Amino acid sequence: MSTPYPFTAIVGQDDLRLGLLLNAVSPAVGGVLVRGEKGTAKSTAVRALAALMPEVPVVSGCRFSCDPSAPDPACPDGPHEAGPGVSRPARTVELPVGASEDRLVGALDIERALSEGVKAFEPGLLADAHRGILYVDEVNLLHDHLVDLLLDAAAMGASYVEREGVSVRHAARFLLVGTMNPEEGELRPQLLDRFGLTVEVAASRDTDQRVEVVRRRLAYDDDPEGFAARWAREEAALRERIAAARVLLPRVVLGDGVLRQIAATCAAFEVDGMRADIVMARTATALAAWAGREEVTAEDVRQAALLALPHRRRRNPFDAPGLDEEKLDDTLREAAGDSDNGDGDDDGPGGGGGGGGVPPQSGGPDAPDRSAGAGDDTPADAPAGGDGSGSGSGSGSEQRPAPAGGAEQAPVGASEPFRAKMLSVPGLGEGAAGRRSRARTEHGRTTGARRPEGTLTKLHLAATVQAAAPHQRARGRSGRGLVVRRDDLRQATREGREGNLVLFVVDASGSMAARQRMGAVKGAVLSLLLDAYQRRDKVGLVTFRGKEAEVALPPTSSVDAAAARLESLPTGGRTPLAAGLLKAHDVLRVERMRDPSRRPLLVVVTDGRATGGPDPVALAARAGRLHAAEGTASVVVDCERGVVRLGLAAQLARELGGGAVTLDELRADSIAGLVKDVTAAGRAA
């Protein structure tokens, strides 16, 4: 087993370390979600935490880590007699993004269950993580059905596996830690709320701090055991502090005044439900225990709010997590009834409003003074400045020269987004699970049966019985049980929904640059982006103006980044419509090679006008037919306004082999209907 990087050797990242340590002190806090750019010690810190956790007493030979002092009466390996048991280190179990449902919750041997009535169960990762840490790297990329199973188990403290009337239950209580890079897409607000705490991490921009990160990482890579030995004293001290805080935790008093501050804070920030209040109370209690106190203070409440509320403040996927600290301080003062508790600006026991205290940044054998850098497997990968996403108003659009053929205009703000119609790709796909187009999936309604091509995951009971029935006499059946062989088993085929690649091609030329109209266009695209977020799509953005088209955003799961690029999109110049369609064709060609199962949906936002070249309209029509020939599903959002209309957008839609909708028809509550299916090439009338 490889030697983990010492937790105390991580440079800076105070919020990250504090969030993890509070969960180590009180697992009831509910886990932590770590958000940040790559190379910021997210994975390193989580893996290092396990070495600080107390050893776990377990029943000898139990695959489900039952507590010998109170064994689970429903344990599949039980029943167990109470006894001393054995101790083992706390586990850190990693859930890969591509894991199957069986790998997560475990698998039943369906053949033995049908023929012998035996509940032969192979435990999954949830059983392995019981009484330990379950770590999900890039949790935002995990399939929805796996996230649902994971969070259900975290909420109930148990995992259930049920198939065709056969069920197994086992305890599954664990410290849930998820990490994510927001550039790759956000979690749904409902799932964000399931994490107790959230912390934001970023690489330091200070040269000395970055140097120390690299120095420590290189020393660890050269001699992991020697490096860990140099930090053994600091690790032991932190381990003892966690154990002491756990002992103190039940004695911590949460007074009525503090509870009023917690309730007032959650009400002031308009968080949904009561989970935030409960998490804040548990976090404030853990902060007091971590600081060695038996009473929760207002500063503990403040720090708990900064950890427990930011991710619960998101009202839509384009809202950045965060908390108005001035409003927080005012709310705490008002709830306290006087200013004796301070205004929140004074340093608490941990400094800098740290509540129960920022975990000590040990000087260590080779460390400088306390700093705020990062220590991860790839510390030098972080960009030299900015947020690393390349999105928003700082994306560099202001540096572009004005396009030829017309003056560039300042970006226009988007109008208020609305609920858009669902645009779907026709036919039956086999792409990643989502919520847009029909597809063959592991989850959904059963539509038939087939022979399993690998591990049986969803048994079609009727088809299995039908396949086995003709052979019962030949197999010597004498009792009531059905004699079932492997060849009899049938896999249920199911139909659900898939996520698609929605590629937007947006006209940013002078013909679209009337400020009111461009605001409406951006509002419409923003509405479609919101719809894509909710349906778990990948999105991309191609814009055209002046003499060329550009890929403003390559296909990504980060709808937030697409919205930011759209908001800063400048307008003006000529209308190279054909260039935009050809650029989109290049993007889709590459994406088909990268992810052939994900079907694309081309959304062209234009009034249909084209300029540049000898016959720009005909050139655009040829580019449209190129997409139609490849069967790309498409829709044109017709932005033409005015009394006199040329109908060029509708003509382009016919060349693309798709449909056209006006801005007004794009609204889900328009008279035109609730759903408009996109017609693929060859299906147009």
Side-chain angles (χ1 to χ4, degrees), residues 38-40 44 217 375-382:
K38 56 185 177 293
T40 49
T44 298
R217 187 70 218 189
D376 204 341
D377 298 349
T378 54
D381 286 349

Side-chain angles (χ1 to χ4, degrees), residues 327-388:
K327 179 179 178 181
L328 173 61
D329 294 334
D330 291 342
T331 302
L332 292 174
R333 280 197 299 268
E334 292 173 5
D338 55 51
S339 59
D340 292 341
N341 289 326
D343 60 4
D345 292 331
D346 295 334
D347 288 353
V358 173
Q361 176 65 49
S362 302
D366 55 359
D369 57 350
R370 284 181 58 175
S371 57
D376 204 341
D377 298 349
T378 54
D381 286 349
D387 62 4

Side-chain angles (χ1 to χ4, degrees), residues 118-383:
V118 175
K119 294 181 181 179
F121 181 70
E122 184 66 29
L125 295 176
L126 290 180
D128 293 341
H130 180 46
R131 305 176 68 200
I133 301 171
L134 182 60
Y135 171 47
V136 189
D137 194 15
E138 303 293 352
V139 64
N140 51 325
L141 302 183
L142 202 63
H143 288 171
D144 281 358
H145 70 281
L146 293 182
V147 175
D148 292 339
L149 290 169
L150 175 65
L151 296 179
D152 283 346
M156 296 186 296
S159 175
Y160 294 85
V161 183
E162 298 189 9
R163 289 186 186 163
E164 310 300 340
V166 181
S167 64
V168 172
R169 173 213 167 273
H170 65 83
R173 292 183 295 275
F174 45 81
L175 168 56
L176 177 62
V177 182
T179 62
M180 59 175 285
N181 183 347
E183 296 178 17
E184 297 294 335
E186 286 285 355
L187 278 172
R188 302 194 309 270
Q190 298 92 327
L191 303 185
L192 282 172
D193 187 53
R194 289 283 191 166
F195 284 94
L197 310 179
T198 185
V199 294
E200 298 277 342
V201 295
S204 171
R205 306 309 183 205
D206 181 86
T207 301
D208 292 338
Q209 295 165 0
R210 296 174 73 94
V211 166
E212 183 60 24
V213 170
V214 176
R215 180 182 291 120
R216 294 188 187 185
R217 187 70 218 189
L218 293 178
Y220 170 78
D221 290 341
D222 289 341
D223 182 10
E225 293 184 1
F227 183 83
R230 292 198 295 273
W231 289 87
R233 181 179 300 175
E234 288 76 10
E235 292 282 286
L238 191 57
R239 192 178 298 111
E240 291 175 2
R241 184 175 176 184
I242 292 173
R246 282 191 166 196
V247 172
L248 180 61
L249 185 67
R251 303 200 303 269
V252 175
V253 177
L254 192 69
D256 289 343
V258 170
L259 278 174
R260 290 189 65 84
Q261 286 184 311
I262 290 172
T265 301
C266 292
F269 284 98
E270 300 179 346
V271 296
D272 296 329
M274 295 298 297
R275 185 176 284 117
D277 303 62
I278 297 171
V279 171
M280 274 190 64
R282 289 171 174 168
T283 305
T285 304
L287 280 163
W290 175 249
R293 289 184 274 102
E294 293 189 6
E295 186 174 357
V296 176
T297 67
E299 192 59 36
D300 294 329
V301 175
R302 185 180 192 276
Q303 181 65 59
L306 293 174
L307 292 171
L309 296 188
H311 60 303
R312 295 182 166 90
R313 288 275 299 145
R314 288 170 61 89
R315 293 305 182 203
N316 67 65
F318 308 135
D319 291 340
L323 214 60
D324 184 340
E325 295 193 36
E326 184 176 348
K327 179 179 178 181
L328 173 61
D329 294 334
D330 291 342
T331 302
L332 292 174
R333 280 197 299 268
E334 292 173 5
D338 55 51
S339 59
D340 292 341
N341 289 326
D343 60 4
D345 292 331
D346 295 334
D347 288 353
V358 173
Q361 176 65 49
S362 302
D366 55 359
D369 57 350
R370 284 181 58 175
S371 57
D376 204 341
D377 298 349
T378 54
D381 286 349

